[in-house]
Amino acid sequence: MRHLLSTGDLTRDEAVLILDTAAELARVGDRSVKKLPTLRGRTVVNLFYEDSTRTRTSFELAAKRLSADVVNFSAKGSSVSKGESLKDTALTLQAMGADGVVIRHSASGAAHRLANWVDGSVLNAGDGTHEHPTQALLDAYTMRARLGRLEGLRVAIVGDILHSRVARSNVLLLTTLGAHVTLVAPPTLLPVSVRTWPCEVSYDLDEVLPKADVVMMLRVQAERMHASFFPSVREYSRGYGIDGARLSRMPEDAIVMHPGPMVRGMEISAEVADSPRCTVVEQVANGVSLRMAVLYLLLGGS
Ligand code: NCD
C-alpha cells in the first residue's frame, strides 16, 4: 500500500491492520511524553484547499507524535490565490522532498490526480463529495472500541448522503469489515447511484432507529448545495434530526456518532450531542491514533 485514496482499495486484512496499529499507538497518547522517533527525518505536507478544524490538526499532531517534520500549507495566503494549479503546487512540494502529502480539496478525484504527480505517499483527507478514508477508519475504530466488534453491527448513516464523502467511505469500509449499513435520508439527498451501493436505503428514520447499534449523523453540506433540497430547517430536523425522544427509542447500548462539525439544533439536538452515548469527542481523540497508524504504515516501512 503506497497511498490511501479510497477505503474501497483496502482489503479486510489491511483495514484490520490499520485499526490494530492505531490501538497500539493509542497507548503513546496516554504517556506524559507523547512522542515516538519512528518518522524522524521524514517530511509530511498538509495541503488543505478546503476549511478544516479536526482533520488538519489531527494529521499535524499525528505526524508530530511520530517525530516527522510537518509543513502546513493552506490555499488561502499561498500562491494558489495567484492562480497556481494543483499540479504546479504539488511539483513545488515534491522538489522540497515531501515523503507524504495529505490533501483536502473541493474537487472529487483531486487526491488520485495528485498521486500521479508526486513520488511520495498521498493521503486523501477529503476530496469533494467523493471520499474521506481516514474519517471512515476512525469511525470504525470508535465503533469497535465502544461495541467490541464490527462484524454484524447494524449501522445507520443519516442525512445528506448526496454530498457526503464520509458516507461513501464508511459504506465501503464497513461492508468490507462485515457490518450492515442502512442509509437514511430524504430522496432528494440520496445519490441516483445509491441502489448500486452495498447497503440498504430507507426514508424513515423512526423505523430504522430501534434496530440500530450505531447511528451516524451527517451535517447538511450547505456549502455544496446550489439548489433547495428540503423545505426548511425545521422540516429537515423533524424528519432526519436526532433528539432526546428519538435517542430513547434506540437500543440501550447503541451509540450516536458524528464526524463534526455538528450543527446543533439541525441534525442533532444539544441534548444528544452532550449525552454520554454520543461519541463525537472520542472520535476526535481516536482520529489522532488512527492517523498515526496510517502515516506509520505508509511512511514508516523499510
Ligand atoms: C467532514 C468533512 O469534511 O467531510 N468533516 C470532517 O472531516 N470531520 C464532514 C463535514 O464537513 O460535515
Side-chain angles (χ1 to χ4, degrees):
M1 197 167 68
R2 196 172 129 220
H3 306 295
L4 180 60
L5 304 176
S6 159
T7 52
D9 297 337
L10 297 173
T11 63
R12 188 176 184 282
D13 286 351
E14 284 169 334
V16 171
L17 175 66
I18 295 172
L19 301 185
D20 290 347
T21 306
E24 291 278 321
L25 291 169
R27 288 198 228 123
V28 178
D30 298 334
R31 299 194 207 147
S32 56
V33 178
K34 296 183 173 45
K35 247 175 146 75
L36 289 175
T38 327
L39 295 186
R40 199 156 52 197
R42 300 264 171 158
T43 303
V44 175
V45 175
N46 270 328
L47 190 56
F48 277 65
Y49 285 83
E50 264 192 358
D51 296 345
S52 172
T53 303
R54 277 152 289 271
T55 308
R56 195 189 59 73
T57 49
S58 176
F59 265 112
E60 179 176 356
L61 208 55
K64 285 182 171 166
R65 285 196 180 162
L66 294 171
S67 305
D69 294 319
V70 182
V71 179
N72 286 315
F73 173 100
S74 74
K76 268 182 220 124
S78 75
S79 286
V80 170
S81 51
K82 300 180 187 167
E84 189 164 50
S85 70
L86 175 59
K87 181 165 185 177
D88 289 320
T89 304
L91 294 178
T92 302
L93 299 169
Q94 158 102 2
M96 293 178 190
D99 299 293
V101 180
V102 179
I103 180 173
R104 168 167 288 193
H105 199 285
S106 59
S108 301
H112 286 79
R113 296 303 295 277
L114 188 68
N116 291 324
W117 295 325
V118 298
D119 295 331
S121 293
V122 174
L123 293 90
N124 184 2
D127 62 326
T129 60
H130 182 232
E131 283 224 37
H132 192 353
T134 56
Q135 179 68 44
L137 284 159
L138 76 88
D139 291 338
Y141 181 96
T142 304
M143 291 176 211
R144 195 177 75 163
R146 267 280 187 132
L147 303 169
R149 70 196 162 101
L150 288 162
E151 188 74 48
L153 224 54
R154 290 159 307 176
V155 181
I157 304 181
V158 186
D160 184 2
I161 311 292
L162 180 64
H163 302 101
S164 178
R165 49 200 181 200
V166 176
R168 185 191 313 266
S169 286
N170 261 294
V171 168
L172 295 173
L173 180 67
L174 288 168
T175 44
T176 298
L177 291 167
H180 302 295
V181 181
T182 304
L183 301 175
V184 186
T188 50
L189 288 178
L190 285 164
V192 183
S193 63
V194 78
R195 295 285 163 195
T196 65
W197 293 24
C199 58
E200 281 168 51
V201 174
S202 169
Y203 305 137
D204 187 350
L205 181 56
D206 290 308
E207 193 185 81
V208 173
L209 282 180
K211 294 173 278 177
D213 300 302
V214 176
V215 175
M216 183 184 296
M217 304 306 299
L218 298 176
R219 183 176 65 86
V220 170
Q221 310 262 304
E223 74 276 26
R224 300 188 207 282
M225 292 185 179
H226 307 292
S228 180
F229 289 83
F230 48 86
S232 69
V233 168
R234 231 183 106 176
E235 201 126 329
Y236 180 85
S237 302
R238 196 157 36 192
Y240 298 96
I242 189 155
D243 57 8
R246 282 195 163 127
L247 183 69
S248 70
R249 272 179 254 132
M250 289 169 55
E252 224 170 274
D253 51 359
I255 55 172
V256 177
M257 303 182 73
H258 197 304
M262 295 188 281
V263 183
R264 288 172 182 244
M266 185 150 177
E267 74 274 11
I268 189 165
S269 73
E271 183 189 356
V272 177
D274 295 328
S275 124
R277 291 172 67 185
C278 178
T279 60
V280 62
V281 178
E282 267 162 72
Q283 286 168 262
V284 174
N286 293 338
V288 177
S289 314
L290 192 282
R291 290 178 175 115
M292 285 173 77
V294 169
L295 287 167
Y296 170 77
L297 292 168
L298 290 180
L299 308 182
S302 78

